[in-house]
Amino acid sequence: MALAEGADQLAEMVDEDKVEEAHERRFRTQMGLLVAILAVLLAIASLGGSNAAEDALNSNILATDSWAFYQAKNIRQTSLALARDELELRLAGDSFTPAQREKALELIESYQATIARYDSEPDPEDPEDFLKGEGKRELAQRAQYYEAAREEATAQDGNFDMAEASFQIAIVLASVAILSLSTLARAAAIGFGVLGLALMLNGFFMVVPLP
């Protein structure tokens, strides 16, 4: 009788060990799968951050170039305005011959037309697209457009950077959970993974602006 009871207890212990072993194996398999998913998400966030940083740099260059072009136009426009004003003053002094006066009036008209063109010069084929125009108005709009694109790309890059950090922490915690079979580490890994996913999605869609 005692021998039979001992055999039953031994069988129960073996069954418990098998159950525990199966549980550990399932736990480690799940955590391994989580690490793989986190690694893929980390790669996506890294790619998104790289693209956002490149977009920010390109937009900053384009904004700077647009403002430089604007300043060049403004300097040239000011020079023409001064030349026009000087001719008008000389005409008022009545020191020109009729032929000289006619020539001066032609120059003043030409200067005025160029000054107006420098103020606004939309593209003839697509006048509504300020990215194609070359007047001061279009150049200012273009520069502001690229500045806004730069700020958005910079904000996206910030989201992606924080997402990468969250995914990396989650991977470390998941690895700890695999080694220690810690459910606390698993919960923390999942939490950081969810946070990283939210930040990555916000980086792509900019639903919530971060400070």
Side-chain angles (χ1 to χ4, degrees):
M1 184 69 176
L3 184 60
E5 289 179 356
D8 291 340
Q9 290 177 355
L10 182 60
E12 289 177 2
M13 291 175 61
V14 171
D15 289 340
E16 289 176 359
D17 288 342
K18 287 182 178 180
V19 170
E20 185 176 353
E21 183 180 347
H23 174 72
E24 292 177 1
R25 187 165 55 250
R26 184 167 59 252
F27 183 91
R28 287 195 168 98
T29 300
Q30 291 173 348
M31 295 311 299
L33 180 60
L34 177 61
V35 168
I37 294 173
L38 290 170
V40 171
L41 293 175
L42 175 60
I44 295 173
S46 179
L47 179 62
S50 177
N51 290 339
E54 185 176 349
D55 288 344
L57 178 61
N58 290 337
S59 295
N60 187 60
I61 292 172
L62 291 170
T64 301
D65 288 347
S66 297
W67 282 124
F69 197 6
Y70 177 94
Q71 290 300 332
K73 288 268 187 177
N74 190 55
I75 291 171
R76 180 59 178 161
Q77 186 184 48
T78 301
S79 299
L80 290 173
L82 291 172
R84 177 202 61 194
D85 293 345
E86 182 181 355
L87 275 177
E88 288 177 344
L89 286 173
R90 293 179 64 184
L91 279 174
D94 199 22
S95 60
F96 288 162
T97 65
Q100 290 174 331
R101 177 177 292 275
E102 183 178 353
K103 182 62 176 178
L105 288 171
E106 289 178 0
L107 283 174
I108 289 173
E109 185 178 353
S110 175
Y111 289 160
Q112 188 59 41
T114 304
I115 289 170
R117 179 166 55 84
Y118 281 171
D119 266 331
S120 180
E121 188 178 5
D123 182 75
E125 297 181 359
D126 192 2
E128 298 299 323
D129 188 355
F130 56 82
L131 294 177
K132 298 179 181 179
E134 294 189 350
K136 287 172 57 181
R137 181 183 304 168
E138 290 77 24
L139 289 170
Q141 289 178 314
R142 185 187 308 173
Q144 292 165 357
Y145 169 82
Y146 287 127
E147 285 177 341
R150 178 194 62 199
E151 296 304 316
E152 182 177 358
T154 300
Q156 287 181 304
D157 188 38
N159 278 272
F160 286 124
D161 286 344
M162 290 187 287
E164 287 182 59
S166 297
F167 288 138
Q168 289 170 349
I169 294 172
I171 289 173
V172 171
L173 290 171
S175 300
V176 170
I178 291 174
L179 296 174
S180 64
L181 300 176
S182 170
T183 56
L184 180 61
R186 178 182 64 181
I190 293 173
F192 275 101
V194 171
L195 175 61
L197 178 61
L199 288 167
M200 184 182 72
L201 292 175
N202 196 55
F204 282 115
F205 302 108
M206 295 303 295
V207 177
V208 180
L210 298 181

